[in-house]
């Protein structure tokens, strides 16, 4: 549960800003609770796992001077991340302070694992991170960065622009290793050196993870920012030809909804992967919307705007474009978080291994139980012979359909107006009045029953 206590700290938020941020959080929460793919499924205790990946743009060193991120933005990011059980994050910068602030806002139980910064011109001193709910997802004490061996170095004897990061986790029955990437982008044109490097990076990491999955009989999930333009592009082929499986439906993950940069792909053990749902969460439907421009216009950085001497924009259209297409990407991101929901409760499959079809044709009586001291070491106790033959045969067990595992019905969307009405009804003592009315009605019902009982006896 995300903590909102900062919103009442007047050194951090004025009453007006607390009101604005609270309204946006209510709308964001309503969107998250709506049916997929617009929203994200409710997290469960142990039946399903929601895995996310999100490139949170340049988080958060303000080197391009469009920020830094506002306090309200950290609340929004915490709210979104808390919808997942574990999430890979790219573009976390050297200063971990903002990330730690987000983890604090997410509440107790949340933790993170991160790499050191990647050096070099292409690395941008970025970190790869995993944020996870330790109450649901357990770190299996295996972590490492993937580097290219000498025979596989890229042209110019180069390593990955940003070193892929692998961590092993377990949730319920499901043991898995996540490897997150932020693949080199380079030039857009096919045939260019930068494009070829992008394809080569994807090819190598996909082959390496596929080889490990085969060798170790382990569940490997390769996810992150692959800089894939579209599902038909050569960059996507470099991922899928290594045998990685993609969710049934693909979603664009850039803010404009035109490219499929981010992906979550799988090489898993047989019968250990059940897709339940997937999507890309478009947070821009709730926060930093185009119609919020008037609210934020006074605090947009002047250095990136064309303003008149009185501070008004010379071209209102261009100023709105700066807000909606550039500035907000440094407040939240230019990417949407991508997610998948998997079934992780294999209890039925485990129990079905003990079920023998022959007992449906030839039943056996209950076994005589013995104490540990009485049980022979050499063999289990011999079942007692039935007094009479058993007529009823054992029925085949009923098993829940796999597609039903791990899903919960989404809660109905609560509009802001309805939420506000409920708030004032409770604040005005409506709940207390209803409670008293029910108590009085209950007492009245008991009194009527008692009087009827007395009347019956007298009669």
């Amino acid at each position: 549960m995300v903590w909102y206590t900062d919103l009442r700290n007047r050194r951090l938020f004025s009453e007006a800003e607390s009101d604005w941020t609270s309204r946006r959080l209510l709308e964001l929460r309503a969107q998250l609770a709506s049916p997929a793919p617009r929203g994200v499924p409710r997290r469960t205790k142990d039946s399903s796992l929601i895995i996310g990946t999100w490139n949170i743009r340049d988080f958060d060193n303000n080197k391009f001077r469009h920020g830094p991120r506002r306090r309200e933005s950290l609340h929004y990011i915490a709210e979104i991340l808390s919808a997942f059980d574990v999430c890979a994050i790219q573009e976390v910068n050297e200063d971990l302070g903002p990330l730690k602030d987000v983890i604090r806002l997410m509440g107790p139980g949340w933790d993170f694992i991160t790499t050191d910064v990647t050096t070099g011109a292409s690395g941008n001193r970025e970190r790869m991170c995993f944020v996870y709910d330790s109450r649901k997802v357990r770190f299996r004490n295996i972590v490492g960065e993937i580097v290219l061996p000498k025979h596989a170095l890229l042209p110019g004897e180069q390593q990955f622009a940003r070193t892929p990061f692998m961590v092993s986790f377990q949730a319920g029955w499901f043991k898995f290793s996540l490897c997150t990437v932020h693949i080199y982008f380079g030039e857009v044109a096919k045939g260019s050196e930068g494009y070829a490097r992008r394809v080569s990076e994807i090819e190598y990491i996909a082959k390496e993870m596929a080889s490990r999955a085969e060798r170790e009989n382990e569940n490997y999930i390769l996810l992150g920012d692959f800089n894939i333009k579209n599902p038909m592009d050569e960059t996507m082929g470099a991922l899928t030809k290594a045998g990685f499986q993609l969710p049934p439906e693909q979603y664009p993950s850039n803010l404009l909804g035109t490219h499929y940069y981010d992906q979550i792909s799988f090489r898993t053990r047989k019968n250990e992967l059940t897709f339940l749902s997937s999507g890309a969460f478009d947070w821009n439907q709730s926060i930093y919307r185009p119609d919020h421009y008037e609210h934020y216009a006074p605090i947009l950085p002047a250095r990136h705007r064309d303003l008149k001497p009185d501070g008004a924009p010379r071209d209102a259209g261009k100023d709105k474009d700066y807000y909606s297409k550039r500035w907000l990407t440094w407040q939240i991101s230019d990417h949407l978080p991508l997610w998948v929901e998997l079934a992780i409760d294999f209890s039925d499959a485990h129990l079905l291994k003990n079920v023998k079809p022959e007992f449906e044709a030839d039943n056996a009586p209950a076994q005589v139980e013995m104490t540990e001291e009485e049980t022979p070491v050499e063999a289990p106790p011999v079942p007692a012979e039935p007094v009479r033959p058993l007529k009823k045969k054992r029925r085949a067990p009923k098993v829940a359909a796999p597609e039903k595992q791990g899903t919960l019905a989404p809660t109905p969307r609560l509009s802001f107006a309805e939420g506000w009405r409920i708030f004032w009804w409770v604040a005005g003592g409506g709940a207390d009045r209803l409670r008293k009315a029910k108590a009085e009605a209950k007492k009245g019902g008991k009194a009527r029953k008692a009087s009827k009982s007395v009347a019956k006896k007298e009669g």
Side-chain angles (χ1 to χ4, degrees), residues 125-169:
R125 299 193 69 78
E126 295 174 14
R127 300 177 187 269
M128 303 278 198
C129 295
F130 288 106
V131 172
Y132 64 101
D133 186 347
S134 61
R135 298 161 298 185
K136 170 85 171 279
V137 179
R138 179 168 62 85
F139 171 46
R140 287 198 291 148
N141 305 109
I142 301 173
V143 60
E145 293 180 286
I146 311 300
V147 295
L148 296 167
K150 188 173 183 180
H151 70 272
L153 290 173
L154 299 169
E157 297 193 346
Q158 298 181 97
Q159 282 286 344
F160 288 104
R162 307 170 187 91
T163 310
F165 182 42
M166 187 195 75
V167 177
S168 293
F169 295 101

Side-chain angles (χ1 to χ4, degrees), residues 204-253:
Y204 180 80
I205 192 62
K207 286 180 181 177
E208 175 63 20
M209 291 299 105
S211 175
R212 293 188 183 206
E214 191 75 26
R215 185 172 64 250
E216 301 169 9
N217 194 27
E218 169 82 354
N219 300 310
Y220 272 86
I221 301 174
L222 184 58
L223 73 172
D225 183 356
F226 290 84
N227 279 312
I228 291 174
K229 186 175 181 181
N230 61 66
M232 306 305 295
D233 195 67
E234 186 181 350
T235 47
M236 181 66 88
L239 176 63
T240 56
K241 71 182 180 182
F244 274 89
Q245 182 180 356
L246 298 172
E249 189 171 354
Q250 298 294 296
Y251 298 91
S253 61

Side-chain angles (χ1 to χ4, degrees), residues 350-387:
H350 182 81
L351 291 171
L352 283 170
K353 290 179 181 179
N354 300 327
V355 175
K356 307 298 180 185
E358 57 264 29
F359 287 111
E360 293 176 15
D362 184 15
N363 203 350
Q367 176 180 310
V368 176
E369 294 185 349
M370 298 181 180
T371 64
E372 188 175 349
E373 293 76 16
E374 295 173 322
T375 305
V377 178
E378 297 78 13
V382 178
E385 289 295 329
V387 176

Side-chain angles (χ1 to χ4, degrees), residues 5 90 101 104 112 167 178 203 210 234 306 337 348 389 428 439-440:
T5 52
Q90 301 85 44
D101 283 342
R104 176 183 62 82
F112 71 96
V167 177
L178 295 179
E203 280 183 342
E234 186 181 350
D306 185 12
D348 287 345
E440 289 174 1

Side-chain angles (χ1 to χ4, degrees), residues 23-31 286 289 413 416:
R23 290 169 186 265
R24 304 288 78 75
L25 285 168
L26 285 167
E27 293 187 1
L28 187 62
R29 286 170 57 82
Q31 184 186 344
S286 299
R289 297 198 312 253
R413 176 168 179 170
F416 175 77

Side-chain angles (χ1 to χ4, degrees), residues 213-339:
E214 191 75 26
R215 185 172 64 250
E216 301 169 9
N217 194 27
E218 169 82 354
N219 300 310
Y220 272 86
I221 301 174
L222 184 58
L223 73 172
D225 183 356
F226 290 84
N227 279 312
I228 291 174
K229 186 175 181 181
N230 61 66
M232 306 305 295
D233 195 67
E234 186 181 350
T235 47
M236 181 66 88
L239 176 63
T240 56
K241 71 182 180 182
F244 274 89
Q245 182 180 356
L246 298 172
E249 189 171 354
Q250 298 294 296
Y251 298 91
S253 61
N254 66 322
L255 191 59
L256 298 176
T258 55
H259 297 306
Y260 295 72
Y261 292 142
D262 305 274
Q263 296 293 326
I264 303 176
S265 58
F266 304 83
R267 276 291 298 259
T268 59
R269 298 173 63 184
K270 186 178 180 180
N271 300 325
E272 285 204 11
L273 180 64
T274 302
F275 286 108
L276 298 176
S277 58
S278 61
F281 182 69
D282 187 1
W283 46 264
N284 196 214
Q285 295 181 23
S286 299
I287 54 175
Y288 293 110
R289 297 198 312 253
D291 58 304
H292 294 164
Y293 165 76
E294 295 293 339
H295 177 78
Y296 293 109
I299 53 91
L300 297 179
R303 67 180 64 88
H304 297 288
R305 308 165 69 192
D306 185 12
L307 302 176
K308 298 177 182 177
D310 63 357
R314 296 182 187 279
D315 187 324
K318 287 184 178 180
D319 204 56
K320 288 180 180 179
D321 279 349
Y322 167 68
Y323 158 76
S324 62
K325 296 178 181 178
R326 296 181 62 197
W327 179 77
L328 65 81
T329 68
W330 273 280
Q331 285 301 314
I332 305 296
S333 181
D334 54 345
H335 287 241
L336 307 177
L338 196 71
W339 59 267

Side-chain angles (χ1 to χ4, degrees), residues 150-203:
K150 188 173 183 180
H151 70 272
L153 290 173
L154 299 169
E157 297 193 346
Q158 298 181 97
Q159 282 286 344
F160 288 104
R162 307 170 187 91
T163 310
F165 182 42
M166 187 195 75
V167 177
S168 293
F169 295 101
Q170 180 171 349
W173 292 79
F174 190 51
K175 296 180 180 179
F176 58 102
S177 293
L178 295 179
C179 182
T180 180
V181 301
H182 188 185
I183 298 298
Y184 180 78
F185 187 80
E187 293 91 345
V188 176
K190 291 185 177 181
S192 65
E193 184 178 327
Y195 183 85
R197 179 176 178 179
R198 194 189 332 167
V199 173
S200 296
E201 285 196 0
I202 297 173
E203 280 183 342

